[in-house]
């Protein structure tokens, strides 16, 4: 349950359903609208390169209530593809990422963390979730290691 | 659930809609009450939870309670577990915290603002108070509570807000959840060391996992009692001299007897008053002298052949502490020993009238028990999302030691501790979290409205505030 009352825009779900079809969309980045009232789609992408996607999170910005721009949290869904260690082909995991860099302001951090569940619950079919607070947490290998452990 | 959030027509219709007026955030703790307007960075009102009682009735606030002339008996409405025990007084203390500092706050009727008048008189007068005179009737109120608050206490809180104060809307938020959110985490292991209680608990997707709650008394008050033992057992004994006893002092050499002129009072102060004033000196000592052995290992464990960590610590530069009477001395290894019992029960100094510290009460063991109480799948995630909060975690070296203890306890796990660098965020973390939530335009969806309260009664708080 959301603990902030923040709403989820309908497009958040429709884009997610497109991603689930596994054809065109590789990832979706969500953000809070400027008035912190609604979770909206910021962008979707088909680029398969994890590092490009990661770069977008690392560079994400948010305005504080005083209008000062600083690092910004985001939510994202990524259709994570990885090779099985046994060499038996590839697997896909639709992964929800709650990105909230430690050096973002407390206002955005608070609002994103307390609203996360509203979005997560609106999206049906998430296989894994990653809570990430520093750049290491969203290294491809960090996430891969998580899945390799069966988690 | 999911689709409900998508259409505005499905939103509850009786939501509280008065968002032009700032909500008030009230964060009561054992040592202090934090109160202020939502949207502000720090609480405007920061009031001691201790209050004084004399023949004239009760007095609240730092200007009143530290007066040695008033013949005050000092008490606290909170229990040793940091939850409300004496509701009548707590209500008045909070009213004081709100009305004394939050200036744009509507002036309460002096007959019922509860300030410094006798309890019996108040009860009588409350009966005669008209609807229109309630002190908070324009402001929604967001209150914080501990994870172990009782259902009865939760209902009592909404009753006071709605019935006694006339709040148009109310919300009750868990202080640990607010601290985790403020660190950008919906899932976290929260280590909160305040004045009365040290606690460790797991939060998953914004909800406290009940079975993970661990708490003990190894917090600020306990640390104060460790320092008392240290002073009493020093050779020679160190006198704990509060400020109010001193008229003037002359500087003396380290370790030399104090040369001060003392104040005398016609009426002897009470023991509880003296204890409160001693506590202020102890707090200064905690802030400037006490040091946690950061590791590796424990203070009493061997470092190298023939030398323990304590012996090494003793060889390090010490810190000077000056008592209000001018007595001063250098504290070396001892400044480490007072905090060691938080981590190593065998190192705790004995406190008169108290049971020896148990292993399970130490911070590290509480983390272990808390983590072990949750699903295997969640454990590694919790260990890399540890949030440290509460005033006593500001004691030097706390976070480093926690990190060292946990690294030894979980050699193959990734340990990551998040502790706000700003003192204000560490001490007021839950107030600040409440302030941000309460100022969100969307939070009007959350508030329990007066109408809801009238319709469903106080048990609505159990259903709505999880
Ligand atoms: N810099 C510091 N170093 C050590 N201890 C400190 C420091 N600052 C405050 N404290 C201690 O922190 C405690 C107050 O912390 P906090 O405000 O978190 O407690 P509280 O919320 O009022 O109490 P509780 O959580 O037990 O209800 C006091 O015991 C105080 O002595
Ligand atoms: Mg507290």
């Amino acid at each position: 349950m959301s603990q902030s009352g923040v709403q989820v825009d309908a497009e958040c779900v429709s884009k997610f359903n497109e991603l689930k079809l596994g054809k065109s969309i590789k990832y979706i980045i969500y953000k809070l609208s400027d008035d912190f009232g609604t979770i909206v789609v910021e962008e979707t992408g088909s680029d398969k390169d994890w590092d490009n996607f990661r770069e977008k999170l690392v560079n994400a910005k948010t305005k504080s209530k005083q209008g000062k721009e600083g690092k910004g949290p985001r939510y994202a869904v990524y259709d994570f593809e990885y090779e099985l260690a046994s060499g038996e082909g590839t697997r896909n995991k639709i992964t929800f990422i709650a990105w909230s860099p430690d050096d973002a302001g407390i206002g955005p951090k608070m609002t994103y963390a307390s609203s996360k569940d509203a979005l997560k619950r609106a999206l049906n079919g998430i296989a894994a979730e990653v809570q990430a607070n520093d750049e290491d947490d969203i290294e491809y290998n960090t996430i891969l290691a998580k899945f390799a452990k069966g988690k | 659930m999911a689709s409900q959030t998508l259409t505005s027509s499905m939103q509850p219709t009786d939501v509280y809609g008065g968002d032009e007026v700032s909500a008030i955030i009230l964060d009561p703790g054992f040592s202090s009450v934090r109160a202020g307007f939502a949207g502000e960075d720090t609480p405007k009102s920061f009031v001691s939870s201790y209050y004084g009682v004399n023949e004239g009735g009760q007095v609240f606030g730092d200007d009143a309670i530290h007066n040695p002339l008033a013949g005050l008996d000092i008490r606290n409405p909170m229990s040793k577990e940091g939850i409300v025990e004496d509701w009548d007084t707590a209500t008045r203390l909070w009213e004081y915290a709100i009305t004394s500092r939050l200036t744009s706050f509507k002036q309460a009727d002096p007959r019922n603002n509860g300030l410094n008048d006798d309890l019996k008189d108040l009860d009588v007068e409350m009966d005669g108070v008209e609807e229109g005179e309630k002190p908070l009737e324009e402001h929604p109120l967001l209150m914080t509570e501990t994870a172990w608050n009782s259902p009865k206490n939760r209902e009592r809180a909404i009753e006071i807000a709605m019935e006694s104060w006339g709040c148009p809307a109310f919300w009750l938020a868990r202080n640990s959840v607010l601290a985790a959110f403020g660190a950008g985490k919906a899932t976290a292991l929260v280590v909160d060391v305040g004045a009365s209680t040290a606690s460790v608990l797991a939060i998953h997707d914004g909800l406290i996992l009940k079975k993970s709650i661990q708490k003990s008394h190894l917090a600020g008050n306990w640390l104060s009692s460790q320092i008392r033992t240290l002073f009493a057992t020093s050779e020679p004994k160190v006198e704990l001299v509060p400020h109010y006893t001193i008229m003037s002092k002359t500087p003396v050499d380290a370790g030399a007897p104090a040369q001060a002129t003392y104040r005398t009072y016609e009426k002897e102060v009470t023991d509880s008053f003296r204890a409160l004033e001693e506590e202020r000196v102890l707090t200064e000592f905690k802030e400037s002298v006490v040091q946690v052995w950061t590791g590796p290992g424990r203070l009493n464990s061997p470092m190298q052949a023939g030398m323990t960590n304590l012996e090494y610590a003793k060889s390090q530069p010490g810190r000077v502490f000056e008592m209000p009477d001018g007595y001063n001395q250098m504290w070396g290894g001892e400044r480490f020993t007072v905090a060691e019992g938080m981590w190593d029960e065998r190192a705790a100094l004995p406190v008169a009238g108290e049971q020896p510290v148990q292993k399970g009460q130490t911070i590290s063991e509480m983390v272990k028990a808390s983590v072990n109480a949750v699903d295997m799948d969640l454990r590694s995630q919790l260990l890399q999302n540890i949030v440290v909060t509460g005033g006593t975690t500001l004691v030097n070296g706390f976070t480093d030691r926690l990190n060292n203890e946990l690294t030894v306890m979980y050699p193959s796990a990734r340990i990551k501790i998040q502790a706000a660098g700003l003192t204000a965020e560490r001490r007021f973390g839950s107030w600040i979290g409440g302030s941000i939530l309460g100022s969100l335009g969307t939070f009007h969806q959350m508030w329990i409205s007066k109408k809801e309260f009238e319709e469903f009664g106080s048990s609505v708080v159990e259903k709505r505030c999880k």
Side-chain angles (χ1 to χ4, degrees):
Chain A
M1 193 190 62
S2 156
Q3 296 190 32
S4 61
V6 163
Q7 303 296 295
V8 178
D9 185 66
E11 199 198 5
C12 297
V13 179
S14 58
K15 286 289 181 221
F16 177 74
N17 290 337
E18 265 180 64
L19 178 142
K20 277 203 293 187
L21 295 176
K23 299 224 172 73
S24 51
I25 305 183
K26 184 74 179 165
Y27 64 82
I28 310 167
I29 297 177
Y30 300 99
K31 66 167 197 171
L32 278 167
S33 57
D34 288 343
D35 65 355
F36 277 16
T38 316
I39 300 171
V40 297
V41 173
E42 182 175 39
E43 69 169 296
T44 62
S46 52
D47 184 352
K48 284 198 158 64
D49 189 299
W50 172 269
D51 288 333
N52 289 344
F53 161 75
R54 178 177 174 275
E55 218 36 36
K56 289 182 197 279
L57 293 184
V58 169
N59 294 323
K61 299 272 187 282
T62 298
K63 280 205 174 85
S64 74
K65 68 176 197 278
Q66 291 85 8
K68 223 179 82 199
E69 199 176 67
K71 282 210 169 183
R74 288 293 186 273
Y75 311 112
V77 172
Y78 193 95
D79 187 5
F80 201 90
E81 204 177 288
Y82 61 106
E83 306 260 333
L84 290 176
S86 52
E88 292 165 52
T90 59
R91 277 281 155 82
N92 279 62
K93 261 192 186 181
I94 297 184
T95 304
F96 183 93
I97 299 159
W99 166 242
S100 189
D102 286 332
D103 46 358
I106 189 170
K109 283 197 284 196
M110 185 81 207
T111 315
Y112 272 82
S114 58
S115 309
K116 183 204 80 174
D117 241 33
L119 176 61
K120 205 182 110 186
R121 281 176 190 243
L123 308 179
N124 256 313
I126 290 169
E129 181 176 349
V130 173
Q131 174 171 284
N133 300 93
D134 68 29
E135 296 180 17
D136 288 351
D137 294 339
I138 45 172
E139 289 285 2
Y140 183 82
N141 286 332
T142 309
I143 292 172
L144 188 65
K146 233 182 171 108
F147 294 159
K149 268 197 229 156
K151 184 44 247 300
Chain B
M1 183 85 208
S3 58
Q4 256 185 22
T5 55
L6 299 178
T7 56
S8 56
S9 61
M10 289 174 79
Q11 292 303 323
T13 49
D14 62 342
V15 295
Y16 168 75
D19 37 6
E20 315 77 35
V21 184
S22 296
I24 284 174
I25 312 300
L26 180 65
D27 177 33
F30 184 93
S31 69
S32 63
V33 180
R34 288 76 64 168
F37 293 112
E40 296 188 345
D41 292 340
T42 47
K44 267 216 175 72
S45 178
F46 176 76
V47 172
S48 174
S49 293
Y50 290 95
Y51 67 100
V53 185
N54 61 15
E55 319 77 62
Q58 301 177 322
V59 294
F60 300 100
D62 290 288
D63 293 342
I65 63 173
H66 299 299
N67 177 3
L69 300 172
L72 295 170
D73 203 10
I74 301 296
R75 299 179 195 162
N76 193 315
M78 307 296 274
S79 77
K80 288 210 169 79
E81 298 203 317
I83 63 176
V84 178
E85 195 167 59
D86 170 359
W87 274 96
D88 289 328
T89 307
T91 308
R92 295 209 264 162
L93 171 68
W94 300 340
E95 252 183 62
Y96 172 83
I98 294 168
T99 56
S100 63
R101 307 289 155 96
L102 309 185
T103 46
S104 88
F105 186 79
K106 189 177 150 205
Q107 188 59 48
D109 187 311
R111 284 181 302 161
N112 74 325
N113 72 359
L115 303 183
N116 306 338
D117 46 14
D118 186 67
L119 192 60
K120 271 197 258 119
D121 294 350
L122 184 84
D123 281 342
V124 174
E125 285 169 2
M126 286 296 261
D127 295 336
V129 169
E130 301 287 323
E131 275 283 341
E133 294 173 345
K134 291 179 179 167
L136 266 177
E137 57 181 12
E138 284 171 3
H139 298 273
L141 177 72
L142 187 156
M143 238 179 107
T144 70
E145 60 170 353
T146 63
W148 51 93
N149 201 12
S150 67
K152 218 170 159 181
N153 267 7
R154 309 184 83 209
E155 294 189 4
R156 195 69 189 263
I158 193 171
E159 286 161 14
I160 284 165
M162 294 285 182
E163 291 167 356
S164 311
W165 292 347
C167 296
F170 178 77
W171 189 254
L172 202 51
R174 305 286 189 180
N175 54 14
S176 46
V177 174
L178 294 174
F181 284 168
K185 298 172 192 294
T187 294
L189 190 78
V190 178
V191 177
D192 177 359
V193 190
S196 65
T197 319
S199 61
V200 179
L201 54 83
I203 293 169
H204 185 229
D205 283 350
L207 293 176
I208 293 168
L209 302 178
K210 277 262 146 65
K211 52 188 190 312
S212 73
I213 302 174
Q214 292 289 323
K215 55 186 188 338
S216 83
H217 68 295
L218 302 191
N221 297 341
W222 172 85
L223 184 56
S224 296
S225 67
Q226 293 290 289
I227 304 169
R228 284 176 187 277
T229 300
L230 172 67
F231 287 177
T233 55
S234 287
E235 280 297 335
K237 188 171 174 257
V238 173
E239 294 296 337
L240 181 49
V241 192
H243 290 274
Y244 75 91
T245 61
I246 306 301
M247 179 103 76
S248 65
K249 64 178 179 191
T250 323
V252 292
D253 288 341
Q259 283 186 30
T261 323
Y262 296 88
R263 275 183 206 282
T264 49
Y265 295 93
E266 248 173 64
K267 206 169 131 193
E268 189 77 27
V269 303
T270 63
D271 288 349
S272 58
F273 180 84
R274 185 173 174 107
L276 177 73
E277 299 309 304
E278 287 174 354
E279 185 63 36
R280 297 171 95 183
V281 179
L282 293 172
T283 297
E284 285 168 36
F285 190 84
K286 281 187 216 177
E287 288 168 0
S288 57
V289 178
V290 175
Q291 172 73 45
V292 176
W293 170 255
T294 56
R298 303 193 150 163
L299 190 58
N300 297 323
S301 47
M303 186 187 198
Q304 42 181 266
M307 198 190 200
T308 64
N309 285 326
L310 177 59
E311 278 153 350
Y312 168 77
K314 279 181 178 155
S315 70
Q316 295 299 297
R319 299 255 175 90
V320 177
F321 186 75
E322 187 184 301
M323 286 286 173
D325 64 1
Y327 174 82
N328 64 92
Q329 79 167 69
M330 180 73 89
W331 296 93
E334 309 87 352
R335 67 199 188 94
F336 291 86
T337 57
V338 287
E340 186 63 15
M342 283 183 148
W343 314 95
D344 176 2
E345 74 286 355
R346 287 159 307 175
L349 308 176
V351 176
E354 271 185 30
Q355 297 291 315
V357 170
Q358 304 291 309
K359 184 171 180 156
Q361 295 173 326
T362 59
I363 308 285
S364 4
E365 288 297 319
M366 287 200 292
V367 170
K368 190 190 211 169
S370 184
V371 168
N372 283 344
V374 307
D375 245 29
M376 204 79 102
D377 292 352
L378 198 55
R379 292 180 190 168
S380 67
Q381 208 196 338
L382 290 174
L383 289 170
Q384 38 185 294
N385 288 286
I386 298 174
V387 174
V388 160
T389 185
T392 298
T393 66
L394 286 168
V395 66
N396 273 311
F398 183 95
T399 309
D400 290 341
R401 177 61 176 273
L402 180 61
N403 191 49
N404 262 315
E405 289 279 327
L406 298 184
T407 307
V408 171
M409 194 175 266
Y410 300 99
S412 62
R414 178 172 174 241
I415 307 288
K416 204 184 143 205
I417 300 176
Q418 155 79 35
L422 296 172
T423 308
E425 280 184 23
R426 198 94 67 90
R427 295 198 61 192
F428 306 137
S430 46
W431 187 91
I432 296 170
S435 169
I436 295 164
L437 275 193
S439 65
L440 286 176
T442 53
F443 203 74
H444 64 82
Q445 311 275 353
M446 306 301 292
W447 294 112
I448 298 174
S449 68
K450 178 134 209 138
K451 197 161 157 251
E452 243 183 301
F453 174 73
E454 279 159 5
E455 196 173 334
F456 302 107
S458 34
S459 66
V460 68
V461 81
E462 285 292 308
K463 286 191 209 84
R464 296 271 268 101
C465 309
K466 297 287 184 202

